[in-house]
Amino acid sequence: MLRGKNIVVGVAGGIAVYKVVDIVSRLKKQGANVYVIMTHAAANFVTPLTFREISGHPVVVDMWTESTNWNVEHIALANLADLFLLAPATANIIGKIANGIADDMLSTTIMATKASVILAPAMNTNMYLNPIVQGNISKLTQLGYHFIEPGCGSLACGTEGIGRLPEPEVIIAKVMEIFKGKNDLVGKKILITAGGTQEAIDPVRYIGNRSSGKMGYALAKVAAARGAEVIVVSGPTHLLPPSGVIVNYVESASQMRDAVLAHYADSDIVIKAAAVADYRPQIKSTDKIKKNSTTLNLVLEKTPDILFELGQLKKHQILVGFAAETQQLLDHAQEKLTRKNLDMIVANDITMPGAGFNVDTNIVKLLYRDGHMEELPKMSKEQLAGIILDKIRA
Ligand code: PMT
């Protein structure tokens, strides 16, 4: 399963570093390409040469020394990684990541990667249980980082308790689990809308909104990774299309409607994460409008409500909508759920920092057709995508 996968192993300074040599060796034996980044502290426990021999690749310790035959910067390894494993994850490196500190090769690379990151903490029991460390772990967990609980037993500091680096078998099993993922959406066709629409005023200007497409693309990425056939109907965005996903680009609400209807009949699940303009100029000027007067009156007309139409046409499909609200979140979301004949609506209160438009995280409440509601904590949009898909499958 690991054949050809690029795994970057980050090694921070702790007595458990010697165990990571075995982990790197096991990953190699499973066919992975393993690249090791060490902190200077880690290099005091085991030399980079050891990891170089085991991994078969030069080991990066310093950001500033450039090797003659190995010119790799943090961005290169960050982009290359299919998975990032941090072992041992010390209180120091966990604290740095949780607080956005990137001051060495390891922390900088982790900050720059978009790959899944597994952290295997190992430290003294009191340090591990310190509320500051626990707070950092909980913050990172909510942001989608994966943690492996440390083992219990006698520690290098002479005490007994939780804090041992988990056994290599446990760490390798977690790596496998991340790569294996779930394959529960094989055979399902999922139609996802993403981004905002643009409604032309003239050849230069348009009415738009702040949607980046991040929520819709996160859903598409996770659904594809779980085996679904995924079609994304996307408004203009700077995001790269997730691999294995067909993207149908549109600009306006009416183009989005046509594209969505073309795929609707044979879709099993439709998730409308797009922020569709509710109004568009009644007349699109064919020429650029000149600044001849101090005011400009635009007459706006309603755009087609795509989701409402899907709700009317619904047969076997599961329909999921989103609602971005600044007030009376639950009332407005409930009204949309009912009126648009949805199975679920994802309600984001966009007044909360870290929720809604153009951020990597979201804070939502899930409302269901049967009247029950679930409140979720702040988490990455990818993590939320996984939960939404879990709920649809349930
Ligand atoms: O793209 P990001 O930057 O990651 O931001 C994510 C998001 C905030 C855009 C997303 O999470 C979100 O909330 N999308 C819905 C935005 C919204 O305000 O929707 P709405 O309340 O106007 O519409 C409710 C539902 O009807 C939505 O599923 C929408 O796609 C759909 N709709 C709305 C109007 C319309 N004319 N046609 C529709 O299909």
Side-chain angles (χ1 to χ4, degrees), residues 138-279:
S138 139
K139 179 176 176 183
L140 290 175
T141 304
Q142 286 185 14
L143 288 171
Y145 290 78
H146 305 270
F147 278 84
I148 311 177
E149 171 113 331
C152 281
S154 56
L155 302 174
C157 53
T159 57
E160 288 271 328
I162 190 166
R164 285 168 64 88
L165 187 74
E167 293 309 312
E169 296 76 21
V170 176
I171 294 180
I172 301 292
K174 183 73 182 178
V175 169
M176 296 289 198
E177 183 192 311
I178 298 286
F179 277 117
K180 196 166 159 218
K182 298 180 188 171
N183 249 355
D184 58 344
L185 294 172
V186 172
K188 298 283 177 203
K189 179 170 172 182
I190 306 191
L191 177 58
I192 295 169
T193 65
T197 62
Q198 296 181 352
E199 310 300 328
I201 297 170
D202 67 12
V204 178
R205 304 161 180 111
Y206 59 82
I207 296 175
N209 62 65
R210 299 178 195 281
S211 172
S212 61
K214 288 182 178 187
M215 189 65 243
Y217 278 54
L219 281 158
K221 181 179 171 188
V222 175
R226 284 166 66 164
E229 176 192 349
V230 181
I231 315 274
V232 175
V233 177
S234 171
T237 172
H238 298 297
L239 302 177
L240 292 173
S243 63
V245 166
I246 297 169
V247 183
N248 192 338
Y249 292 100
V250 296
E251 277 186 7
S252 65
S254 71
Q255 288 170 359
M256 182 171 277
R257 173 187 174 274
D258 294 347
V260 165
L261 286 180
H263 291 288
Y264 189 45
D266 61 346
S267 291
D268 300 293
I269 298 164
V270 180
I271 309 177
K272 287 221 74 242
V276 186
D278 291 314
Y279 290 92

Side-chain angles (χ1 to χ4, degrees), residues 38 42-44 46-53 55 57-61:
M38 301 178 80
N44 286 324
V46 171
T47 64
L49 185 63
T50 307
F51 280 108
R52 181 194 176 117
E53 288 307 305
S55 69
H57 293 292
V59 171
V60 193
V61 181

Side-chain angles (χ1 to χ4, degrees), residues 6 78-84 110 112-117 145 221:
N6 296 317
N79 288 339
L80 185 73
D82 295 310
L83 180 81
F84 212 110
I110 291 178
T113 193
K114 291 208 151 198
S116 296
V117 181
Y145 290 78
K221 181 179 171 188

